[in-house]
């Protein structure tokens, strides 16, 4: 898989990367703490006052995400031949935390989500290392970029921000190598209203990657539904010469359970 030599990656330059987003989320966290002085903080799941996530909800979330697993890849990713690793199903505490973080301005949940992501990265890195020639290659975690419109609305990039605060496995690094590019006549809005195949067609060619030739990259997303967005990031990375064996997501839909877990 990784017979090509690895070149050092260029710095992301002017493009705001994971570190910038982690700083933005941290700043928002301080701001949230300042607001706590006047407005009490409540648990993002059950509403209990006191913490961003109360003790009971934290325990339930930890149990639900303790065993990261592989997910049957949705059609666009199955077609691309990539494996999918996820922390848990997109439901209950995990879904509440992600929604509150992304859309509810609850940036104080970033450390919680970073802790959820860490074991999936470890599982995915172990998986990638098993590939022929993949034992020693550095693994680059590439966040799916947020659209310009979403960034204007939230002023931070959720995936890059969570990744920026995550303890990374050895010999791996965060590389924000994929960005959106303007494609004439194709808006990236109202994606939710589209079906999987339609969405995949609409997204094709909307991302580009730079500086990854000869590297091993794993795409990281927060929620995986149709898989079209992650598939476009995989396409862009491969077009730029990267080897992309897997995708990691914080939450996925329809995670098949192993017989042991069902027991
Ligand atoms: Zn709670």
């Amino acid at each position: 898989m990784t017979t090509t030599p690895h070149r050092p990656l260029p710095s992301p330059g002017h493009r705001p990367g994971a570190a910038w987003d982690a700083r933005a989320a941290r700043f928002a966290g301080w701001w949230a703490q300042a607001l706590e002085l006047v407005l009490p903080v409540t648990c993002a799941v059950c509403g209990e006052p006191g913490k961003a996530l109360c003790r009971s909800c934290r325990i339930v979330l930890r149990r639900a995400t303790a065993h990261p697993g592989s997910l049957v890849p949705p059609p666009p990713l199955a077609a691309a031949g990539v494996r999918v690793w996820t922390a848990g199903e997109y439901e209950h505490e995990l879904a509440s935390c992600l929604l509150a973080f992304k859309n509810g301005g609850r940036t104080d949940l970033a450390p919680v989500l970073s802790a959820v992501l860490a074991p999936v990265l470890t599982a995915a890195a172990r998986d990638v290392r098993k590939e022929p020639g993949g034992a020693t290659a550095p693994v680059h975690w590439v966040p799916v970029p947020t659209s310009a419109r979403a960034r204007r609305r939230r002023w931070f990039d959720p995936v890059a921000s969570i990744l920026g605060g995550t303890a990374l496995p050895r010999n791996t690094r965060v590389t924000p190598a994929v960005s959106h590019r303007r494609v004439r006549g194709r808006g990236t809005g109202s994606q939710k209203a589209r079906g999987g195949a339609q969405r995949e067609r609409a997204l094709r060619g909307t991302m580009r990657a730079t500086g990854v030739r000869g590297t091993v990259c794993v795409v990281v997303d927060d929620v995986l539904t149709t898989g079209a967005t992650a598939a476009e990031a995989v396409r862009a990375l491969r077009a730029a010469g990267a080897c992309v064996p897997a995708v990691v997501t914080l939450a996925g839909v329809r995670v098949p359970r192993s017989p042991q877990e069902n027991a």
Side-chain angles (χ1 to χ4, degrees):
M1 176 189 76
T2 53
T3 46
T4 35
H6 298 286
R7 291 197 323 197
L9 288 157
S11 93
H14 68 279
R15 215 149 37 77
W20 190 93
D21 281 298
R23 281 199 293 276
R26 210 154 42 230
F27 175 76
W30 294 333
W31 181 238
Q33 279 174 13
L35 273 181
E36 266 173 49
L37 298 173
V38 270
L39 302 168
V41 70
T42 57
C43 170
V45 177
C46 70
E48 188 184 292
K51 280 187 172 171
L53 194 64
C54 75
R55 191 170 173 271
S56 351
C57 292
R58 192 178 286 264
I59 290 170
V60 177
L61 178 69
R62 200 178 296 151
R63 278 193 196 138
T65 58
H67 305 288
S70 56
L71 180 68
V72 175
L77 292 171
V82 290
R83 297 186 292 280
V84 179
W85 288 88
T86 186
E89 290 195 54
Y90 187 55
E91 59 181 17
H92 310 310
E93 283 73 13
L94 184 53
S96 302
C97 287
L98 271 166
L99 281 171
F101 176 69
K102 285 175 74 174
N103 302 331
R106 291 294 303 265
T107 47
D108 51 345
L109 289 165
V112 171
L113 294 170
S114 292
V116 168
L117 183 62
V120 202
L121 296 190
T122 304
R126 204 178 294 136
D127 178 50
V128 170
R129 301 255 182 259
K130 284 183 199 155
E131 299 236 352
T136 53
V139 175
H140 297 268
W141 309 111
V142 181
V144 162
T146 199
S147 69
R149 202 165 71 158
R151 183 182 270 279
R152 276 196 298 275
R153 195 174 71 235
R154 305 192 180 103
W155 69 271
F156 74 103
D157 185 330
V159 183
S161 154
I162 295 168
L163 250 181
T166 303
L168 302 179
R170 274 180 59 190
N171 201 19
T172 71
R173 65 197 69 160
V174 177
T175 304
V178 176
S179 58
H180 283 279
R181 63 177 190 178
R182 277 187 186 279
V183 182
R184 274 177 180 274
R186 269 195 289 176
T188 51
S190 66
Q191 297 291 347
K192 282 174 195 154
R194 293 185 173 129
Q198 254 184 317
R199 188 169 171 169
E200 194 188 350
R201 270 197 303 278
L203 283 171
R204 194 159 181 86
T206 58
M207 292 183 197
R208 66 169 162 217
T210 49
V212 288
R213 185 161 301 281
T215 63
V216 179
C217 294
V218 173
V219 169
V220 182
D221 205 353
D222 48 9
V223 181
L224 197 77
T225 49
T226 66
T229 310
E232 172 56 14
V234 170
R235 186 208 57 76
L237 285 165
R238 284 179 176 169
C243 169
V244 192
V247 164
V248 159
T249 178
L250 265 171
V253 286
R254 295 190 298 277
V255 182
R257 300 260 179 228
S258 72
Q260 258 178 328
E261 282 170 300
N262 279 333

